[in-house]
């Protein structure tokens, strides 16, 4: 507990340092005048181009949304893979999950509670009553039953949240309960209904979707149960306007902004000027530009939060000498994680685990002794040399040889998204490795290639992020299961290092069926952690802090340090906290 | 015979960045009405520059330096071409004096039909459209071309036909004087003869005066009445073709005539060295480095063009009374 | 002699007509062949770029939907692979795409960028933007550049034209994206005279009312200006050089001697002749200009083909990339063809000699 407390402190200290830095960076060095305290005069917004018709600016929340390359603006169908682009606001404003997980806490939303029977083969889900769709129709258990069947029927159509229903039976009990019968014990079935950093199963309106093709229907009116309804969507200007509906079924959690406008702004170089003019309220922008924006517009604040996906390095154990756990540990000792974390856009932190965490590591899944014993976060080149020597990697003429007598040379792949930490690790590692006679070649991949080459196992060392459920690291360990160890060149959907370990497989199999709340399962988690720490098939690099820009001229209520991501299901919860600035 | 054009002290040159390089120097020349006056000289001696100067068509970097040109028409009216304002000149040209430029094979606009190129000129000079068309057909006939040539583009015509179109154009306004620069140079001997005959026929019919510029002595011998010999921007000798051919006065004329059997366009046989270019005209008599008869005053003083009796003129110290060279008896 | 020449003229006219037909047929054949070659090259080149659209899809899915069940991911990928025809061997895909493109009206299959919208619809929807900006700015740049160049050539001995030449040269060598960025920053943001990006004001919907049209026009000025400035400068310099060389031609001196009005000389003699290579020059720059337009679209956030192409490239959306490339080549080739076929109208010599 002490360790985690100090990490919290470090986080706060890092934030303080960051703000100090930003204050220095701003060129305003006014003399201190005591008599007149003048608030800094904000620049007036660009009145002409970013006023959305008659929408009053102080009742409108404008999101400069980030999106990948997709350009879907006329389709509101979350079954389509391409609609998951989060650029329109659809997934955030009208798609509600049965539960939301926020900072480790699970909030009831469209459903109130779940309950397993003793052996985990039956789950009773109690849904929220009195919910309505944003076209005014009631959302009833009929819609739930329809959606479950619809998803199951379309499982082969390439839609998410469908295959988990295979071999599952369900029935309604009364008007507010659904009982699921599971083929084998599964204490995680309810997780499919919890929106965390990303989506979950969600009901769709029967009167809209019935008879529609799951992958081509466009749901043109964006019907959902959220607090907003669609006003207009324009693919030319990439602008979607949403209006709050005041008959929303949960008045307690009705967001303050009457309107929301979601725009896609592809070129940050241009968007920065619009930001300075107060054109947006919230959005992601490269950090270098954010510093500049803040000095131009005093209302803009960085909202720093912990990215829920820790960064790590995957070793390809098919390639000698990465098949040797001792060698992998030696590489880990050569990795100066703190230096990497400090170089991130926002100073970040070192973490001994690779599942999403909020800075405090859940002790139930974590074996601190193992972390210490196997030095999972230590930077110690001398110890690395000692390990290499002991394991039999001879140093001949300054070059370290593998067990077959060949010089060791490894390719380390990184991608560049404008964050120095994502690239610099490979150079730091190469520098340290060179000192002990190992050649590490940093290699840049463009993002599409990265997504192809990684799963195919075509690498020695690969940078990755690990996005799984914060409250339950099962899925992360599952990625290490031998069933994902495909031959090189074939796509692996697990962690693509081709790791095999029957002992870990057995533990994973048990964890998967165990109840994460039971002491026995938690003990298994700690065992799995110990195996990971000793074997290090991949290693933890750092946990990243990120910043988004928040314009406090019209809206406030969001605070630094909130584990906040605006593109995920979290946005739904976050909006509840937004309040007008005056 | 009256004098049509009186050229006095005409000098023209090339405008450089700092100074003018003189190309044509102090030309005095009389053109008689109704005659064909041949002007001969080696390539680069300034014939075309002089022609353009007469028409006042010098284009930069060419520039007029000094001189006067008096044109006296049949009705007795006299104009000084060099004093005429540009606007008046544009009207005056073609009506009173016209021009067949060197390289006239390329003098037709490749993208306009012959008709347009003839009528735009005629209309510009005061004819109506119909008159212009009628006149165009008329003058084409004069040079033995069918009226359908009017509908052709220049590239559809042979070189000889194009040349004839140009001649037709040049005489279409019945001008008093036509300056024809290298009229026949690019043509074969047969076509050359035909064209020269047509020119002579036009002169006979309309009384048009021609200045025929060429470096081909043969052409001059064929049609010209009088001739002027030019060397390095100066007139060396003027006289009737018969006289000059029979007894050339100027040593350069002598050399030219001696070389007649040679193909046209070749360097004058029997003379050493090359004709000077305007940038290195020699002092004194410009011919003196090559002159077989050179003597003391030649390199110091330029000889003036002086009458030598019976309508002949020469510019050579051999004929200056104050110099009595020993070898004059050779003549 | 005369009769003989007349005969050859008649013969030349007949054979000239035959040659003209020949020219058009051959020119059209080349056009079709180039189109096919472009399609083929585009097809194979894009597929050689590393990165499989499906793995990119998976990467996006795992970002948006978090922990996707690996089996579920496999099903999703299998489904889309089938939809996009990526399972077939390459040659079969090729034949299939070629067949669809020709016989099913340029059907390039579904787009991946905006699934389930078909690629063709997507391109048709974006086309007016690119075509609008492209044709208007190229035409305006050409007209303005040709006019200005002609004047500068005509008056090339005047002092002032030296300054104009210097400015044009500077503009011509500046990359179009720098001009665009400069306009965005200074005119758009610093001076705020014109909107710095977007196709029209974000709150408007396309309708034929004055508010929308004026917004559209105001937004079009800067992107078009960036293209026109660089392109127009090139046309100006080209035309000026052509004009100067034409002014030295014999037929110009002759025209002057003929006493034709200076305006007629400029119009019928100088311009008419200088225009011929200037029109050919237009055909040559068309292809390169399209690239510039694509960059400008991205910078000004115009929903044209360029923006679409950048998106498609990021997703390895073969169908869309292919469609755009094919369309662009089609457009450029067609325009070049039009220019080439129009050239004989301007230049009587080509009617026969080509
Ligand atoms: N526009 C010009 N620019 C530069 N030099 C010129 C120009 N016009 C004439 N010259 C020079 O002036 C001299 C005389 O030229 P001009 O054309 O008058 O000679 P020419 O006697 O007509 O020769 P040719 O028999 O070859 O036509 C030559 O040396 C020529 O190089
Ligand atoms: S002046 Fe002298 S150099 Fe000149 S031509 Fe006469 S003799 Fe020869
Ligand atoms: Mg000449």
């Amino acid at each position: 507990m002490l360790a985690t407390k100090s990490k919290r402190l470090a986080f706060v200290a890092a934030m303080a340092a960051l703000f100090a830095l930003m204050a220095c960076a701003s060129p305003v060095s006014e003399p201190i005048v005591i008599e007149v305290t003048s608030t800094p005069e904000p620049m007036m917004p660009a009145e002409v181009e970013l006023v959305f018709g008659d929408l009053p600016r102080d009742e409108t929340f404008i999101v400069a949304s980030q999106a990948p390359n997709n350009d879907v603006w006329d389709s509101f169908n979350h079954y389509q893979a391409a609609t998951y682009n989060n650029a329109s606001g659809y997934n955030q404003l009208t798609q509600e999950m049965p539960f939301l997980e926020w900072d480790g806490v699970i909030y009831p939303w469209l459903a109130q509670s779940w309950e397993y029977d003793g052996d985990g083969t039956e789950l009773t889900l109690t849904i929220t009553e009195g919910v309505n769709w944003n076209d005014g129709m009631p959302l009833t258990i009929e819609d739930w039953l329809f959606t479950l069947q619809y998803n199951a029927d379309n499982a082969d159509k390439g839609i998410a949240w469908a295959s988990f229903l295979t071999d599952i039976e369900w029935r309604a009990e009364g008007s507010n309960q659904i009982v699921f019968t599971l083929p084998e014990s599964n204490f995680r079935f309810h997780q499919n209904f919890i929106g965390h950093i990303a989506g979950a199963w969600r009901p769709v309106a029967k009167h809209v979707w019935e008879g529609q093709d799951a992958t081509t229907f466009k749901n043109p009116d964006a019907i959902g149960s959220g607090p907003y309804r669609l006003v207009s969507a324009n693919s030319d200007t990439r602008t979607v306007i949403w209006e709050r509906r005041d008959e929303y079924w949960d008045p307690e959690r009705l967001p303050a902004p009457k309107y929301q406008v979601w725009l896609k702004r592809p070129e940050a170089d241009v968007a920065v000027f619009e930001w300075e003019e107060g054109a947006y309220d919230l959005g992601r922008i490269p950090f270098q530009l954010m510093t500049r924006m803040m000095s131009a517009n005093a209302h803009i604040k960085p909202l720093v939060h912990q990215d829920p996906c820790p960064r790590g390095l995957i070793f390809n154990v098919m390639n000698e000498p990465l098949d040797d756990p001792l060698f992998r540990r030696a590489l880990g000792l050569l990795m100066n994680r703190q230096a990497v974390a400090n170089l991130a856009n926002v100073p970040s932190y070192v973490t001994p685990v690779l599942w999403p965490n909020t800075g405090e590591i859940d002790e139930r899944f974590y074996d601190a002794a193992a972390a210490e014993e196997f030095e999972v976060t230590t930077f110690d080149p001398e110890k690395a040399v000692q390990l290499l020597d002991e394991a039999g990697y001879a140093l001949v003429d300054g070059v370290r040889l593998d067990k077959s007598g060949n010089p060791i040379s490894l390719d380390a792949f990184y991608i560049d998204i404008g964050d120095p930490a994502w690239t610099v690790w490979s150079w730091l590692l190469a520098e340290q490795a060179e000192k002990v006679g190992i050649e590490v070649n940093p290699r840049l991949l463009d993002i599409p290639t990265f997504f192809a080459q990684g799963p195919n196992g075509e690498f020695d060392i690969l940078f990755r992020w690990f996005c799984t459920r914060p409250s339950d690291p099962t899925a992360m360990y599952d990625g290490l299961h031998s069933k994902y160890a495909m031959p090189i060149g074939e796509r692996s959907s697990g962690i693509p290092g081709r790791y095999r370990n029957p002992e870990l497989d057995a533990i994973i199999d048990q964890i998967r069926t165990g109840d994460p709340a039971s002491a026995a399962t938690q003990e298994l988690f700690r065992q799995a952690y110990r195996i990971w720490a000793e074997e290090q098939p991949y290693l933890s690099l750092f946990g990243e802090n990120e910043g988004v820009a928040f314009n406090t001229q019209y809206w406030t209520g969001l605070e630094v340090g909130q584990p906040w991501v605006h593109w995920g299901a979290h946005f739904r919860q976050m909006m509840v906290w937004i309040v007008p600035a005056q | 015979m009256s004098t049509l054009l009186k050229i006095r002290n005409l000098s023209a040159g090339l405008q450089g960045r700092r100074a003018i390089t003189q190309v044509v120097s102090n030309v005095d020349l009389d053109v008689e009405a109704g005659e064909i006056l041949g002007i001969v000289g080696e390539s680069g001696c300034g014939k075309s520059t002089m022609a353009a100067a007469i028409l006042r068509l010098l284009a930069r970097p060419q520039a007029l330096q000094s001189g006067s040109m008096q044109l006296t028409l049949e009705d007795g009216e006299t104009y000084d071409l060099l004093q005429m304002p540009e606007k008046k000149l544009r009207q005056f040209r073609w009506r009173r004096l016209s021009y067949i430029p060197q390289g006239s094979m390329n003098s037709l606009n490749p993208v306009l039909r012959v008709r347009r190129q003839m009528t735009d000129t005629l209309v510009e000079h005061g004819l109506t459209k119909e008159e212009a068309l009628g006149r165009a057909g008329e003058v084409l006939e004069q040079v033995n071309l069918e009226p359908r040539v009017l509908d052709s583009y220049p590239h559809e015509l042979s070189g000889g036909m194009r040349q004839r179109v140009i001649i037709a154009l040049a005489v279409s306004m019945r001008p008093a004087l036509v300056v024809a620069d290298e009229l026949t140079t690019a043509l074969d001997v047969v076509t050359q003869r035909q064209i020269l005959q047509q020119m002579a026929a036009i002169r006979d019919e309309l009384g048009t005066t021609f200045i025929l510029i060429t470096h081909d002595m043969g052409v001059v011998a064929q049609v010209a009445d009088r001739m002027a010999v030019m060397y390095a921007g100066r007139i060396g000798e003027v006289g009737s073709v018969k006289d000059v051919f029979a007894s050339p006065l100027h040593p350069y004329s002598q050399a030219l005539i001696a070389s007649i059997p040679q193909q046209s366009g070749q360097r004058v046989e029997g003379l050493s060295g090359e004709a000077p270019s305007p940038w290195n005209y020699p002092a004194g008599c410009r011919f003196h480095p090559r002159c077989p008869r050179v003597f003391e005053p030649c390199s110091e003083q330029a000889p003036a063009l002086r009458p030598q009796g019976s309508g002949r003129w020469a510019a050579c110290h051999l004929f200056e009374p104050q110099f009595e060279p020993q070898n004059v008896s050779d003549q | 002699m005369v009769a003989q020449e007349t005969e050859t003229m008649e013969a030349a006219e007949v054979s000239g007509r035959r040659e003209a037909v020949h020219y058009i047929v051959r020119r059209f054949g080349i056009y079709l062949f180039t189109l096919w070659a472009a399609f083929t090259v585009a097809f194979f080149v894009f597929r050689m770029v590393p990165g499989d659209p499906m793995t990119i899809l998976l990467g996006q899915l795992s970002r948006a939907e978090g922990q996707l069940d690996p089996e579920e991911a496999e099903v999703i990928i299998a489904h889309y692979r089938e939809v996009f025809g990526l399972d077939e061997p390459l040659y079969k895909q090729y034949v299939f795409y070629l067949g669809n493109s020709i016989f099913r009206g340029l059907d390039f299959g579904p787009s991946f960028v905006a699934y389930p919208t078909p690629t063709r619809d997507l391109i048709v929807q974006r086309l007016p933007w690119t075509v609008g900006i492209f044709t208007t700015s190229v035409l305006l740049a050409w007209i303005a550049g040709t006019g200005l160049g002609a004047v500068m050539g005509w008056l090339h001995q005047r002092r002032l034209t030296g300054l104009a030449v210097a400015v044009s040269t500077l503009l011509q060598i500046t990359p179009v994206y720098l001009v665009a960025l400069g306009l965005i920053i200074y005119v758009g943001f610093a001076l705020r005279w014109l909107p710095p990006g977007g196709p029209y004001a974000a709150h408007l919907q396309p309708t034929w009312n004055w508010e929308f049209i004026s917004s559209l026009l105001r937004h079009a000025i800067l992107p078009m200006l960036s293209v026109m400035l660089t392109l127009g400068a090139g046309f100006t310099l080209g035309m000026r050089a052509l004009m100067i060389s034409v002014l030295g031609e014999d037929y110009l001196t002759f025209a002057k001697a003929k006493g034709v009005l200076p305006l007629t000389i400029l119009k019928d003699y100088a311009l008419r002749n200088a225009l011929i290579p200037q029109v050919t020059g237009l055909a040559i720059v068309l292809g390169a200009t399209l690239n510039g337009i694509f960059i400008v679209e991205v910078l000004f956030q115009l929903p044209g083909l360029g923006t679409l192409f950048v998106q498609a490239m990021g997703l390895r959306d073969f169908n869309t990339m292919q469609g755009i490339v094919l369309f662009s080549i089609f457009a450029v080739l067609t325009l070049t063809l039009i220019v080439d076929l129009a050239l004989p109208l301007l230049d009587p010599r080509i009617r026969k000699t080509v």
Side-chain angles (χ1 to χ4, degrees), chain A residues 209-240:
Chain A
W209 286 86
E210 200 162 26
Q212 302 290 357
D213 184 308
T215 52
T216 57
F217 178 53
K218 292 191 171 181
N219 185 17
D221 298 324
I223 301 304
S225 63
Y228 286 82
R229 71 164 64 86
L230 181 67
V231 176
S232 66
N234 187 322
S235 64
D236 289 342
T237 53
R238 296 154 168 217
T239 305
V240 183

Side-chain angles (χ1 to χ4, degrees), chain A residues 342-373:
Chain A
N342 291 345
L343 282 164
N345 269 337
V346 182
S348 295
Y349 59 98
V350 177
T351 171
V353 299
L354 266 168
W355 62 84
N357 59 81
T358 55
E360 268 182 276
I361 297 163
D362 196 330
E363 300 274 350
R364 294 174 304 168
F365 308 126
Y366 172 56
D367 182 347
E372 195 161 316
E373 182 181 344

Side-chain angles (χ1 to χ4, degrees), chain B residues 215-266:
Chain B
H215 49 241
D216 187 342
M217 295 292 277
V219 168
V220 177
Q222 243 177 71
V223 289
D225 304 308
R226 290 196 312 132
M227 65 188 286
V229 178
M230 216 174 157
Y231 184 82
R234 284 203 175 127
I235 302 285
E237 177 167 0
V238 181
S240 75
V241 172
K242 225 167 75 195
D243 291 348
V244 175
F245 271 76
S247 58
L249 296 176
H250 198 283
Y252 178 63
S253 313
Q254 290 165 7
L256 271 183
I257 286 160
S259 72
I260 282 184
Q262 298 287 324
Q263 269 296 117
S264 58
Q266 277 194 353

Side-chain angles (χ1 to χ4, degrees), chain C residues 184-208:
Chain C
I184 290 173
I185 292 171
Y186 292 107
V187 183
F189 285 104
L191 302 171
R192 299 200 187 181
W193 288 346
L194 287 165
Y200 44 80
H203 68 279
L204 296 175
Q205 296 293 330
T207 38
W208 290 115

